[in-house]
Amino acid sequence: GGVVLGINYLVQGSIEQALVKPLSPLPMWGLALLLLLGYFVLARMGRVFFAKADVHRFEREVEVFIGDKSIKVSGFVDTGNRLACGDQPIGVINLQTILPLLDKDTEQAVRLGRLESNQKRASSIKTIEIDTLSGHDQMMVIKTQKIVVYCNENTNIFKEMMLGVSKKQINEYDMLLPPFVLA
């Protein structure tokens, strides 16, 4: 009631008018309900806004180098990414994003999801076993010459980082970075 009286006072301009003249044809409980609903809507919008602002801390611009080619992509540091090839962490990149960097043989192997016998000897590409939420699977992994991660004024260079190739689109990002890039 006090909040409604206060708002009515602001609208009417005097306390006498606020006490006598109603703010609207709605009963007081209706006004209180509208104010409460407005509060919850604004609180929800604030939570969504601040959650999105928090996500931006993990977004990075990334440049991937394979052979003599490079491409700039949008990356997201996935703190839950525990993929590794031996003791080396693996980033994950969209198939369509990495294709322009690959030679024809590597592109064919990545599209098929398997290596031919002559490609198995190459150390720059391999297939690894992975466990995901949806079960056990295989992923093609490619060794890069380097990956440059840009964050504000800082530039971090990671040599020979491994990239797993995802055939499924990774949300709105081109790649997921392993958490060690935050260090």
Side-chain angles (χ1 to χ4, degrees), residues 62-67 69-71 101 143-150 156-163:
V62 181
E63 193 167 7
V64 179
F65 293 82
I66 296 178
K69 300 176 185 173
S70 71
I71 190 168
L101 300 177
K143 184 186 286 187
T144 65
Q145 270 59 44
K146 68 180 174 181
I147 291 183
V148 180
V149 179
Y150 302 97
N156 296 315
I157 299 172
F158 302 97
K159 295 192 182 262
E160 298 185 348
M161 187 170 147
M162 302 296 282
L163 286 181

Side-chain angles (χ1 to χ4, degrees), residues 160-178:
E160 298 185 348
M161 187 170 147
M162 302 296 282
L163 286 181
V165 180
S166 173
K167 293 183 179 179
K168 296 178 183 173
Q169 181 66 29
I170 306 170
N171 295 330
E172 67 262 23
Y173 302 100
D174 298 314
M175 71 180 297
L176 297 176
L177 296 161

Side-chain angles (χ1 to χ4, degrees), residues 1 74 100 107 112:
S74 65
E107 179 182 335
L112 293 173

Side-chain angles (χ1 to χ4, degrees), residues 91-163:
V92 180
I93 192 164
N94 289 321
L95 172 64
Q96 294 304 319
T97 302
I98 199 170
L99 286 179
L101 300 177
L102 305 178
D103 60 52
K104 289 195 184 291
D105 291 336
T106 305
E107 179 182 335
Q108 181 182 7
V110 169
R111 284 185 187 272
L112 293 173
R114 68 175 188 273
L115 297 171
E116 302 299 324
S117 59
N118 62 334
Q119 293 171 319
K120 289 183 181 177
R121 293 186 204 100
S123 63
S124 64
I125 182 171
K126 59 177 82 176
T127 305
I128 62 167
E129 303 287 323
I130 60 169
D131 290 315
T132 66
L133 293 174
S134 59
H136 192 72
D137 203 356
Q138 292 187 332
M139 178 181 274
M140 298 295 292
V141 178
I142 298 172
K143 184 186 286 187
T144 65
Q145 270 59 44
K146 68 180 174 181
I147 291 183
V148 180
V149 179
Y150 302 97
C151 179
N152 300 327
E153 305 300 319
N154 300 327
T155 301
N156 296 315
I157 299 172
F158 302 97
K159 295 192 182 262
E160 298 185 348
M161 187 170 147
M162 302 296 282
L163 286 181

